[in-house]
Amino acid sequence: MAYASWVEPNKTSGNGNDTVSWTGSNHTGRTARQTTATFSASGVESKTLTIIQSGKSEFVSIDATASVAKSGGSITISGTSNSSKLTFSLTGTDNIGLTLPSTYTANSVSTNNGVAITGDPGATQQYAFSITFTNIGENTTISSKTAQLTVTPNSGTAAVCNITQAAGDAYLTISPTTITIPAAGTAQSVSVTSNTSWSIS
Amino acid sequence: MATTTIPWNDGSGGNITLTYSSASGNQTVTVSSDANTGYSDRTKVITFTTTTGNASATLTITQSSKNIIIITFNDVAMTQNDVAVGYEQ
């Protein structure tokens, strides 16, 4: 039987005593993979070599940062993992007011947050995932806002994405825009609506 | 409480006084004035500007003049040097 394509010997033929070196391609799945190679020579019984490549430690990585427009809208945050399950949570102080989606996409399949991923694609190789936040509100303040998304694998170390929403524009309106003061000077009121400090001149 | 005083600059020496609790965010500004002792309305336009400078609004302030009662006879007012003559209400 031919050996798997993920492994490559430094030679495929020889004569007499020799050493064959085997090199495997990068294996991103959690579980070990195995193949066999057959050594054959004329007049002797074939010998079989079993080759095992260890799995990669369970991991998750995610975009380190993500930016939301000051007008709001939606953002998609991406990453890779080989975990059987990913759990997303908003950690720290969420000034943006995000709503954590109940589903995300793992290996191109919609998956419920915190639920085992169908087919466990991470067992054999790492997969891509993404989570999309929608209906993010406009930033009406003049300060940027922040939130923190943490994704935790079934086991292993969690990864964090720091989300920043750009500062909104300063605004100022007054009402009414015209007033009449009696000759005696009696006070009138004007309402100022603003999201920042202002001055009068 | 903060106060901003803006002169009418109409030769009267009178001022407009704006009073508010803080020059930040949503506020109610109280606008008052010295009495208008003249016989004409006076108008001043003042500007509210954010400290960032990228938003502003203008307020037009008009102060009425003293009421003058003009006496007419057969719809003709008494005049002096072509100016109607009356007395303060």
Side-chain angles (χ1 to χ4, degrees):
Chain A
M1 186 190 303
Y3 49 84
S5 60
W6 52 262
V7 71
E8 190 68 33
N10 66 339
K11 61 186 69 172
T12 56
S13 63
N15 188 21
N17 297 339
D18 204 348
T19 299
V20 179
S21 178
W22 295 83
T23 303
S25 62
N26 184 32
H27 180 35
T28 58
R30 296 191 320 277
T31 58
R33 57 186 177 183
Q34 177 177 318
T35 188
T36 57
T38 303
F39 290 77
S40 302
S42 178
V44 297
E45 185 179 353
S46 297
K47 302 297 179 184
T48 300
L49 171 68
T50 299
I51 304 165
I52 299 171
Q53 185 175 25
S54 301
K56 184 175 181 177
S57 298
E58 190 165 344
F59 78 98
V60 63
S61 65
I62 194 170
D63 297 338
T65 60
S67 298
V68 182
K70 62 185 175 184
S71 58
S74 63
I75 55 165
T76 296
I77 300 169
S78 302
T80 56
S81 178
N82 63 358
S83 178
S84 61
K85 180 179 73 174
L86 296 177
T87 302
F88 294 86
S89 59
L90 291 168
T91 51
T93 302
D94 174 17
N95 294 320
I96 301 174
L98 298 174
T99 299
L100 187 67
S102 59
T103 62
Y104 67 102
T105 299
N107 202 36
S108 302
V109 176
S110 179
T111 303
N112 289 325
N113 183 23
V115 174
I117 301 166
T118 301
D120 191 11
T124 52
Q125 63 181 2
Q126 71 180 29
Y127 57 86
F129 68 83
S130 64
I131 186 168
T132 299
F133 291 84
T134 59
N135 299 319
I136 302 173
E138 178 182 5
N139 186 354
T140 58
T141 74
I142 59 168
S143 300
S144 61
K145 295 181 175 182
T146 59
Q148 189 179 66
L149 174 68
T150 296
V151 55
T152 305
N154 190 45
S155 66
T157 304
V160 172
C161 176
N162 292 305
I163 306 168
T164 302
Q165 184 175 26
D169 295 327
Y171 63 81
L172 184 149
T173 61
I174 62 171
S175 180
T177 56
T178 301
I179 59 172
T180 299
I181 300 174
T186 308
Q188 308 291 307
S189 293
V190 175
S191 295
V192 179
T193 303
S194 179
N195 61 352
T196 186
S197 55
W198 40 265
S199 62
I200 302 171
S201 59
Chain B
M1 195 67 75
T3 299
T4 298
T5 302
I6 297 175
W8 280 104
N9 284 337
D10 61 350
S12 68
N15 294 311
I16 302 167
T17 301
L18 302 102
T19 305
Y20 40 94
S21 60
S22 171
S24 182
N26 301 334
Q27 298 290 339
T28 296
V29 177
T30 300
V31 185
S32 60
S33 172
D34 294 329
N36 184 358
T37 57
Y39 298 115
S40 300
D41 292 353
R42 54 186 178 182
T43 298
K44 188 82 172 180
V45 177
I46 64 173
T47 303
F48 293 73
T49 308
T50 60
T51 51
T52 55
N54 51 2
S56 64
T58 58
L59 173 66
T60 301
I61 304 170
T62 299
Q63 186 175 25
S64 305
S65 60
K66 293 187 294 186
N67 286 333
I68 302 297
I69 295 177
I70 304 296
I71 300 172
T72 62
F73 181 74
N74 288 341
D75 291 334
V76 175
M78 182 171 65
T79 63
Q80 182 178 31
N81 296 328
D82 293 331
V83 176
V85 175
Y87 61 91
E88 294 181 20
Q89 189 175 30

